[in-house]
Amino acid sequence: MSPPLVPRLIRHEHVHILTQRFSTGPTVNKKSPARRAPTESDVAKLAGVSQSAVSRSFTPGASVAESTRKKILQAAQTLGYHPNLMARSLATRRSNIFALAISDLENPFYAQVVKELSERLRETGRHILLFVSNPDRSADPDLERVLSYQVDALILTATTASIELALQCQKAGIPIVQINRESRVPGISTIRGENQKAGHRIADFMAAAGHKRIGFIGGTRDSGTSRVRQEAFVSRLAELGISDVQVRYGDYTFEGAAVATRELLSQDRPVDALFCASDYMAFAALDVAKREFSKHIPDDLSIVGYDDVPEAAHAVYDLTTYSQPAAAMVEEAIKVIDLMIENPGRRAQRREVRGELIVRGTAKVPTAGVVTKHGKKIWHP
Amino acid sequence: MSPPLVPRLIRHEHVHILTQRFSTGPTVNKKSPARRAPTESDVAKLAGVSQSAVSRSFTPGASVAESTRKKILQAAQTLGYHPNLMARSLATRRSNIFALAISDLENPFYAQVVKELSERLRETGRHILLFVSNPDRSADPDLERVLSYQVDALILTATTASIELALQCQKAGIPIVQINRESRVPGISTIRGENQKAGHRIADFMAAAGHKRIGFIGGTRDSGTSRVRQEAFVSRLAELGISDVQVRYGDYTFEGAAVATRELLSQDRPVDALFCASDYMAFAALDVAKREFSKHIPDDLSIVGYDDVPEAAHAVYDLTTYSQPAAAMVEEAIKVIDLMIENPGRRAQRREVRGELIVRGTAKVPTAGVVTKHGKKIWHP
DNA sequence: CTGAAAGCGCTTACAG
DNA sequence: CTGAAAGCGCTTACAG
């Protein structure tokens, strides 16, 4: 009755279950006692020292004789000992874990934020506890309990913190910062792109290119980030004599932006230039404009995005956009948090990371003002 | 000396620092004592009960009189008490935290995996501790210490576990499963798409469409997932009389796939059909083919991807691809983990989630075999 | 149903 | 430099 050499295939709903028939080591038939992990005491016993000596050997600045520390690390090695970080957190009241609340992961900008944050954090031995929230509810009940995890800080991006949560964090002395989201709540630090300057510049850019009939697709109606961009854009256009600006909201989603674009292009006098509050929405706009309205870009319609995600540079999009460097924003967020941790009582910070209007192929370009910087064409009149 | 009402703007490197001047509550000038969070003992004192009674009130099945529990919850409410999950983990030896090791977040497929996993997990009160690893080193030193966090399980996707890590996990009784990555290491469960069937079907599809000069762009050379797809594809083509298949590797990156495509299209007899081991790489191929080689798709060149990420359906790509549902794969992964947790000693599982060859616009379609299923055109001869 | 007590695996004054 | 001991904030038998 030797087991078959090829995997057996069992059909089960829409999933195949292939049972594996190779040795899985000593735990194969023993109902795996799940041998509990070795602790400091185990190491201490083996090394013939006290448990506190073991602890010190794993604490960077602690005082242990080099000889005993060596002995201890040796013993730890043979036992396969790893400190229990939960226990350490309990004792030190510091977890080295940051909570990251995020939504909108399909938007590559936020995927980038996750990646950058993770990389920067790992350099200092910290990690991310992830809360992917539903963008439509502002007060995520799951996130409200984030403090239970004794995180050292809370970072939000593509989502915002409720007032209650902000208060809780403040009480507990936990820094809280929002990346790319505004906040009127005191105590929440914010890291933003140049929303206002971008709105002005894109308005100048479109006007200089000769556009008259202009549209704006915002994120959600209550997004401060989107609103700042919109207000700067619309008011500058008004100054330039263009007062009829069509505004729609795409809720930061692909589908929402597609619907908004459809509306803007179905009118009697469709728009001939469109500023979208995110590259991701601009991709949707491009999609609809080309496929459903057979628009030639940028001859029939100029589209400008915001973020400069990596995809924007790809040929299929080749999107003109205002940049907002995720890496720099993440770096600022960490700086702010470290500042607040070292210096509690410090007031909330607000930082702005610079960007540029990157000139690519989806928008008509004014005759003057294009310069090249770091190999990229930017509009800087 | 009243503070200015508008934010002061300080220029500092390439970042603006805007100081905020509003009340931040009682902690403004007090160097914030960071009042420590209330504990069960605090609640017990206020409610006039024992600390263990408080604990029981927060433990689902525990025995407490409804009246005292009410009193306790009341007291907890007024103190703003939240259980300390680190302490709970230490006591229960269960953290309700899953480690997720991932790389390649710019690939939308993996962004989707993160999102789906987070959603499924939150339903059962569990969370994700994130390890974004560098794809080029297989044994991530950071990840090797994952056991220190007392996670309940380890999920890997777009990356694989080292043998050492797998052994550690096995010893500790922690289930470990890889999504979309093969493993020859015993003890690692795997969830895969229909890699082999897909390879066969795409070969059939391309041959039936009349292609003769065919290319394949794989992920990394050592990716089992990619290799299975490749071998099935190449061997079936050989059966069909097409033995000269050009193989390149794009390392699952956009740039890598672009380079590979350039090579395949620069030859004397460039390929007229191309199967890419991921949609993300197929996007790069499309990009290069259109922009650099002015190819008409699919007249000059057919491109087929793998995954069916949401972007594949967008008009700019409109990619023909073999689907691999992230949601279903995540669900299987969780099922497997729960099975292993409830039933330690159980051998590693291997599950395969079904997909379809989704017919869109980037590949020539054979005259027969296209059917419509759930509103999607699929090729199912 | 309820409380006192031990224990989860660490850190960290405090003596020596 | 080193060890004994208290404490971090919980859970969970064990008595009552």
Side-chain angles (χ1 to χ4, degrees), chain A residues 26-337:
Chain A
T27 62
V28 155
N29 285 318
K30 274 198 265 171
K31 260 295 186 184
S32 153
R35 193 175 91 191
R36 68 174 48 198
T39 69
E40 284 184 347
S41 304
D42 298 325
V43 177
K45 200 177 299 171
L46 182 60
V49 296
S50 75
Q51 175 256 325
S52 24
V54 178
S55 176
R56 286 193 197 95
S57 300
F58 285 94
T59 308
S63 80
V64 223
E66 194 48 40
S67 58
T68 68
R69 136 169 275 202
K70 243 177 207 153
K71 197 167 48 177
I72 288 172
L73 291 186
Q74 178 62 254
Q77 178 78 17
T78 73
L79 288 180
Y81 168 77
H82 291 282
N84 179 329
L85 264 30
M86 296 278 167
R88 176 178 290 175
S89 305
L90 187 58
T92 60
R93 311 157 141 290
R94 223 168 178 293
S95 63
N96 283 318
I97 292 177
F98 284 19
L100 172 63
I102 197 167
S103 80
D104 211 5
L105 264 173
E106 45 284 334
N107 181 337
F109 180 77
Y110 296 108
Q112 233 189 314
V113 168
V114 173
K115 186 186 171 181
E116 294 292 339
L117 186 62
S118 167
E119 275 178 13
R120 293 288 84 70
L121 248 29
R122 84 182 301 164
E123 289 165 6
T124 45
R126 300 181 281 193
H127 286 94
I128 293 175
L129 189 68
L130 195 65
F131 292 77
V132 179
S133 27
N134 217 316
D136 50 24
R137 51 180 159 186
S138 63
D140 180 337
D142 187 45
L143 184 59
E144 299 293 316
R145 271 170 264 134
V146 65
L147 290 195
S148 286
Y149 285 95
Q150 314 302 114
V151 296
D152 291 349
L154 171 56
I155 298 178
L156 300 100
T157 189
T159 185
T160 54
S162 70
I163 299 175
E164 294 75 34
L165 183 57
L167 280 172
Q168 279 184 41
C169 286
Q170 203 167 251
K171 267 196 201 170
I174 293 174
I176 163 169
V177 17
Q178 290 181 181
I179 297 178
N180 203 26
R181 282 296 176 272
E182 301 296 325
S183 178
R184 293 171 303 112
V185 180
I188 296 182
S189 294
T190 51
I191 315 291
R192 63 169 65 77
E194 294 184 303
N195 300 319
Q196 184 170 336
K197 185 173 162 198
H200 290 157
R201 180 146 302 170
I202 294 169
D204 290 340
F205 179 81
M206 288 181 171
H211 290 290
K212 298 286 184 219
R213 179 87 183 150
I214 295 180
F216 172 82
I217 297 183
T220 53
R221 269 165 214 279
D222 60 336
S223 160
T225 303
S226 174
R227 199 163 41 223
V228 171
R229 292 172 195 169
Q230 175 184 340
E231 281 167 9
F233 183 62
V234 170
S235 67
R236 175 60 61 90
L237 284 176
E239 286 169 32
L240 296 168
I242 301 169
S243 54
D244 176 24
V245 180
Q246 300 288 312
V247 174
R248 294 291 186 285
Y249 296 91
D251 291 333
Y252 289 124
T253 65
F254 195 92
E255 255 322 308
V259 169
T261 305
R262 242 166 248 138
E263 281 183 33
L264 292 175
L265 296 183
S266 306
Q267 299 172 114
D268 290 347
R269 293 178 52 223
V271 299
D272 61 9
L274 188 51
F275 170 26
C276 299
S278 77
D279 283 356
Y280 189 60
M281 292 198 295
F283 296 156
L286 273 171
D287 213 47
V288 167
K290 287 182 185 173
R291 173 158 57 172
E292 300 175 20
F293 294 85
S294 308
K295 293 280 186 188
H296 280 250
I297 309 290
D299 303 327
D300 304 337
L301 173 67
S302 282
I303 295 182
V304 175
Y306 197 104
D307 286 336
D308 193 27
V309 297
E311 280 78 353
H314 295 167
V316 274
Y317 294 122
D318 195 33
L319 182 71
T320 297
T321 187
Y322 203 94
S323 63
Q324 175 169 255
M329 294 177 85
V330 162
E331 206 167 313
E332 279 307 308
I334 294 178
K335 274 189 201 163
V336 165
I337 286 169

Side-chain angles (χ1 to χ4, degrees), chain B residues 254-267:
Chain B
F254 195 92
E255 254 323 307
V259 169
T261 306
R262 241 165 249 138
E263 282 183 33
L264 292 175
L265 295 183
S266 308
Q267 300 172 112

Side-chain angles (χ1 to χ4, degrees), chain B residues 315-373:
Chain B
V316 275
Y317 294 122
D318 195 32
L319 182 70
T320 297
T321 187
Y322 203 94
S323 63
Q324 175 170 254
M329 293 176 86
V330 162
E331 205 167 314
E332 280 307 309
I334 294 179
K335 273 188 201 164
V336 165
I337 287 169
D338 286 340
L339 183 74
M340 311 281 284
I341 288 177
E342 282 169 29
N343 197 334
R346 185 111 185 200
R347 63 166 54 85
Q349 306 282 112
R350 304 171 71 199
R351 305 217 176 157
E352 192 170 299
V353 175
R354 298 209 182 128
E356 296 289 358
L357 177 47
I358 313 282
V359 175
R360 295 204 186 90
T362 58
K364 278 188 194 156
V365 185
T367 48
V370 176
V371 299
T372 299
K373 187 175 158 187

Side-chain angles (χ1 to χ4, degrees), chain B residues 4-53:
Chain B
L5 287 176
V6 290
R8 283 188 306 146
L9 197 147
I10 302 170
R11 289 187 181 271
H12 176 64
E13 295 172 35
H14 54 287
V15 171
H16 299 159
I17 300 183
L18 291 64
T19 61
Q20 244 176 347
R21 289 283 178 179
F22 46 62
S23 159
T24 50
T27 62
V28 155
N29 285 318
K30 275 198 267 173
K31 263 294 189 185
S32 153
R35 194 175 87 191
R36 70 173 50 197
T39 69
E40 282 184 347
S41 303
D42 299 323
V43 177
K45 201 176 299 169
L46 181 60
V49 296
S50 75
Q51 176 256 326
S52 25

Side-chain angles (χ1 to χ4, degrees), chain B residues 166-214:
Chain B
L167 279 172
Q168 278 184 43
C169 286
Q170 202 167 255
K171 266 195 202 170
I174 292 174
I176 166 170
V177 17
Q178 290 181 181
I179 296 177
N180 203 26
R181 282 296 176 273
E182 299 297 325
S183 177
R184 291 171 306 111
V185 179
I188 296 183
S189 294
T190 51
I191 314 291
R192 63 171 63 83
E194 294 184 304
N195 300 318
Q196 183 171 336
K197 186 174 161 195
H200 289 158
R201 180 147 302 171
I202 294 169
D204 290 339
F205 179 81
M206 288 180 170
H211 291 290
K212 300 282 183 220
R213 180 87 183 151
I214 296 180

